[in-house]
């Protein structure tokens, strides 16, 4: 549904379709804040997703092998030990400037003032995940990821992860 900005009514219709198709339960559907999703569609990142909807991939599953010493800082096993990383990247978009990845977060954010310390804490919390996703994506696709973002629905907050 990223071909255009969606209204609350259109989002609600999609949710109802997902329930009928048994892609989500009634309880899951009832927990969705439609207004928050509608607001997301007005953000610059969503506008890019709409603009490049034909180059957008969602829920991209991957498996990627990493050296154990990259994953575990205190690794003392064999130097050539490989750890398999499996994940699902919420969104990958190929723009005229290159790839960007976006990971959605539903964390409750207590600091409603969104202080710089809170933003840093949120980025730091997910930095390892996003860095590994970025590395996996670059190695699997053979393309550089230009930017990586986290979007927190609780506060409609977009943060770049460097």
């Amino acid at each position: 549904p990223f071909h255009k900005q969606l209204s609350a009514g259109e989002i609600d219709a999609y949710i109802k379709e997902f329930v009928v198709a048994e892609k989500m339960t009634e309880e899951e559907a009832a927990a969705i804040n439609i207004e928050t999703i509608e607001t997301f569609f007005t953000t610059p990142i969503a506008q890019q997703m709409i603009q490049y909807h034909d180059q957008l991939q969602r829920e991209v599953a991957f498996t990627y092998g990493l050296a154990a010493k990259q994953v575990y800082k205190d690794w003392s096993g064999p130097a050539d030990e490989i750890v398999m990383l499996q994940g699902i990247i919420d969104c990958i978009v190929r723009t005229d400037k290159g790839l960007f990845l976006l990971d959605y977060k539903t964390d409750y954010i207590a600091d409603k003032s969104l202080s710089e310390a809170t933003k840093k804490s949120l980025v730091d919390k997910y930095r390892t995940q996003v860095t590994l996703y970025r590395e996996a994506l670059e190695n699997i696709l053979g393309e550089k990821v230009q930017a990586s973002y986290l979007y927190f629905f609780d506060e409609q907050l977009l943060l770049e992860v460097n």
Side-chain angles (χ1 to χ4, degrees), residues 71-99:
V71 179
Y72 304 108
K73 294 183 189 315
D74 59 350
W75 180 255
S76 61
D80 62 348
E81 185 77 20
I82 299 293
V83 173
M84 296 308 289
L85 173 68
Q86 293 183 319
I88 298 176
I89 299 171
D90 289 332
C91 186
I92 302 167
V93 181
R94 181 175 279 108
T95 71
D96 53 1
K97 295 178 183 173
L99 294 175

Side-chain angles (χ1 to χ4, degrees), residues 25-53:
T25 66
E26 291 279 352
E27 294 78 21
E28 291 167 333
I32 295 172
N33 183 330
I34 292 172
E35 184 179 309
T36 300
I37 297 171
E38 184 179 33
T39 300
F40 171 74
F41 273 98
T42 68
T43 65
I45 196 89
Q47 292 301 307
Q48 277 198 312
M49 294 164 73
I50 292 165
Q51 180 182 353
Y52 296 99
H53 70 274

